[in-house]
Amino acid sequence: MSKTVEANFDGLVGPTHNYAGLSLGNIASTNNQSAPSNPRQAALQGLAKMKALHDMGLVQGVLAPQERPDVHTLRKLGFTGSDAQVLAEAAKKAPKILAACSSASSMWTANAATVSPSADTETGTVHFTPANLCSKFHRSIEHETTSNILRAVFPDEKHFTHHPALTSTSHFGDEGAANHTRFCQNYGDEGVEFFVFGQYSFDDTKVAPSRFPARQSLEASQAIARTHKLNEQRTIFAQQNPEVIDQGVFHNDVIAVGNRNVLFCHEKAFLDQAKVYNDLKTAYGHDDFYIIEVPESRIRVETAVKSYLFNSQLLSTSDNEMSIVVPSDCQSDRQVSAYLDDLVAADNPITDVKVFDLRQSMNNGGGPACLRLRVVLTQEELKAANPSCLMNDKLYSTLCQWVEKHYRDRLTEADLADPQLLIESRTALDELTRLLQLGSVYQFQRV
């Protein structure tokens, strides 16, 4: 039997990466509002992480950014004239809308979609559902282009099934793989798909957060499980603890991460945590399932949110060992750094810590796990994917040169109205679509 792998497809940071503070509930995003950003550095930091994982022998892919500023959406909102006039009018009359339509948030591809491997689905194909991201306007405008990009990267209908995003209403709010984890002994085995939600949309008697909104609904997670035709006996739904949502844990991947036979989480991650553990162990069905629970007495939720300890990547480096990929913020926090030392010394599969400088992304509230979409692929499915989007030494060098050529090293909110920025962004993306052989994924009219 050919080896099945888990590929990480990271989002390439877009040319309009900026700090507009658009995401209520994401503390880093709001705290850094209006600070100048460095799009060039942000993109190069992301590419360095991709290259490092490739050098580890892992399958690493890249997903293209979206066209921003999104003049198409601004036109739908009533701004008229040439593209330059649309930007100028929006900047004058609705600068916050312009900022939202200029966000480079598609870089966080953990929110791009939910992906179910062929081993888990009744159809025997890999299923993709782009997230509607309807809780935030600046993200709700992404899913159509996200779908186009995913179809360009995974085009073969024999192997890949693409679904439309769920209905864009809060009742079916879907934030993608940031609230979805898969457990298995080996990637090619039928796995346990673990969906974490923040609220019940059709039952007001259930507990919910009070300070910040819950972005993922149970009903959305259930709908995805149905459309992906998953085995009900191996599909688990768990409610995120409303208390931690109100402390800035806006997605499950800020408080928990899993890979194969390991769940690494905070003791306050879920409601009725003991039942969640039991349900997962029962569905997993083997005695080699590790639950690594971090107590509040060791790492407070506030510290976890600030350092993004759990917004990490767990990567299988052998059949029995894993590395944990963390942002440099974990290393600079003495308490978190000490915990990581103890973690790799303990009796569990995590044996190594890899640290990356992702400061530009972290300032906007996204760590290593936010930047990647996990896609489990058989060797045949991997061959059917777009090879131009798979990282190698040549592609890394080419993309770094592309970033150096097209990206600014400083950007503020005031720059978003500059028509030259739109020209620069479009020129860059036109070149990128040729490099990655993406076809017509950007279908907006240009005036």
Side-chain angles (χ1 to χ4, degrees):
M1 182 176 176
S2 61
K3 185 179 179 182
T4 299
V5 299
E6 181 182 76
N8 289 281
F9 282 80
D10 281 37
L12 186 56
V13 179
T16 63
H17 165 67
N18 71 93
Y19 301 137
L22 300 171
S23 190
L24 177 67
N26 183 328
I27 292 172
S29 172
T30 53
N31 284 350
N32 289 292
Q33 182 175 357
S34 299
S37 66
N38 187 329
R40 182 183 301 163
Q41 186 181 58
L44 293 175
Q45 286 175 348
L47 281 167
K49 181 173 82 74
M50 295 185 225
K51 178 62 161 54
L53 267 59
H54 163 72
D55 289 345
M56 289 171 60
L58 301 170
V59 179
Q60 176 68 55
V62 59
L63 296 180
Q66 304 207 6
E67 182 177 299
R68 296 292 182 269
D70 185 352
V71 178
H72 175 70
T73 293
L74 290 172
R75 290 184 183 283
K76 290 200 294 185
L77 296 175
F79 299 102
T80 59
S82 67
D83 289 341
Q85 289 170 327
V86 166
L87 294 178
E89 185 183 6
K92 180 180 179 180
K93 297 180 178 178
K96 292 302 180 185
I97 294 177
L98 174 59
C101 289
S102 302
S103 173
S105 54
S106 67
M107 63 193 272
W108 295 302
T109 54
N111 304 123
T114 303
V115 185
S116 293
S118 55
D120 296 356
T121 67
E122 187 180 306
T123 60
T125 57
V126 184
H127 285 242
F128 298 85
T129 297
N132 59 32
L133 297 167
C134 63
S135 70
K136 296 287 179 283
F137 168 68
H138 70 288
R139 303 226 60 182
S140 70
I141 61 178
E142 293 176 10
H143 64 81
E144 182 179 350
T145 300
T146 296
S147 180
N148 292 341
I149 292 171
L150 290 173
R151 289 173 185 272
V153 178
F154 304 100
D156 191 337
E157 294 182 0
K158 176 183 175 183
H159 298 291
F160 308 119
T161 300
H162 293 273
H163 302 280
L166 299 179
T167 302
S168 291
T169 170
S170 61
H171 287 79
F172 294 96
D174 173 30
E175 302 277 315
N179 295 305
H180 174 259
T181 305
R182 180 178 185 262
F183 300 102
C184 58
Q185 284 195 307
N186 298 295
Y187 290 125
D189 299 336
E190 183 181 7
V192 175
E193 300 217 10
F194 182 46
F195 293 83
V196 180
F197 63 94
Q199 67 175 2
Y200 292 78
S201 291
F202 292 91
D203 190 345
D204 293 338
T205 68
K206 301 294 187 180
V207 295
S210 58
R211 182 186 178 196
F212 294 134
R215 302 186 186 183
Q216 184 82 26
S217 74
L218 168 64
E219 292 79 4
S221 297
Q222 290 173 328
I224 292 170
R226 286 192 296 269
T227 57
H228 287 199
K229 299 188 181 302
L230 302 179
N231 182 344
E232 292 184 4
Q233 303 305 312
R234 299 179 69 84
T235 305
I236 304 298
F237 302 95
Q239 185 171 4
Q240 194 174 355
N241 187 345
E243 177 187 335
V244 300
I245 294 177
D246 282 337
Q247 292 182 70
V249 181
F250 54 98
H251 290 140
N252 178 62
D253 68 2
V254 181
I255 203 71
V257 62
N259 176 51
R260 288 179 60 182
N261 63 334
V262 173
L263 170 62
F264 177 50
C265 66
H266 194 275
E267 70 169 340
K268 293 188 175 183
F270 314 108
L271 277 184
D272 200 352
Q273 199 132 320
K275 181 180 184 301
V276 172
Y277 292 164
N278 184 66
D279 289 347
L280 286 172
K281 289 177 179 178
T282 300
Y284 181 79
H286 304 279
D287 59 7
D288 63 339
F289 192 72
Y290 287 81
I291 296 174
I292 305 172
E293 181 184 272
V294 182
E296 174 78 3
S297 60
R298 188 72 193 271
I299 302 292
R300 297 174 58 199
V301 171
E302 179 184 7
T303 302
V305 172
K306 184 178 180 181
S307 67
Y308 267 30
L309 168 63
F310 297 100
N311 195 252
S312 52
Q313 292 178 254
L314 289 179
L315 304 171
S316 291
T317 52
S318 71
D319 288 341
N320 302 308
E321 295 183 339
M322 300 181 192
S323 291
I324 184 169
V325 173
V326 300
S328 55
D329 302 64
C330 288
Q331 191 177 48
S332 58
D333 186 298
R334 222 180 265 183
Q335 191 177 28
V336 174
S337 179
Y339 176 82
L340 287 170
D341 288 341
D342 292 344
L343 174 67
V344 298
D347 182 19
N348 66 70
I350 304 174
T351 60
D352 180 49
V353 179
K354 297 193 179 300
V355 181
F356 288 90
D357 179 4
L358 298 169
R359 174 47 41 198
Q360 284 291 316
S361 177
M362 288 286 289
N363 283 347
N364 235 351
C370 289
L371 287 164
R372 63 92 171 92
L373 180 69
R374 296 184 286 185
V375 185
V376 171
L377 299 167
T378 66
Q379 289 299 308
E380 190 176 3
E381 291 160 354
L382 181 59
K383 290 178 182 177
N386 182 343
S388 298
C389 297
L390 296 177
M391 184 58 65
N392 53 47
D393 292 351
K394 181 179 179 181
L395 180 60
Y396 174 71
S397 176
T398 299
L399 290 177
C400 286
Q401 293 172 15
W402 174 80
V403 169
E404 294 282 4
K405 175 182 176 182
H406 293 289
Y407 281 46
R408 299 186 183 188
D409 61 6
R410 190 178 191 276
L411 200 68
T412 67
E413 281 190 74
D415 296 322
L416 302 178
D418 180 4
Q420 184 58 36
L421 178 64
L422 176 62
I423 294 171
E424 292 169 11
S425 177
R426 286 175 169 174
T427 301
L429 293 183
D430 285 347
E431 185 175 323
L432 186 67
T433 55
R434 293 191 292 272
L435 288 173
L436 300 182
Q437 297 186 26
L438 296 177
S440 302
V441 294
Y442 308 111
Q443 299 175 341
F444 303 147
Q445 182 181 3
R446 299 177 176 181
V447 179

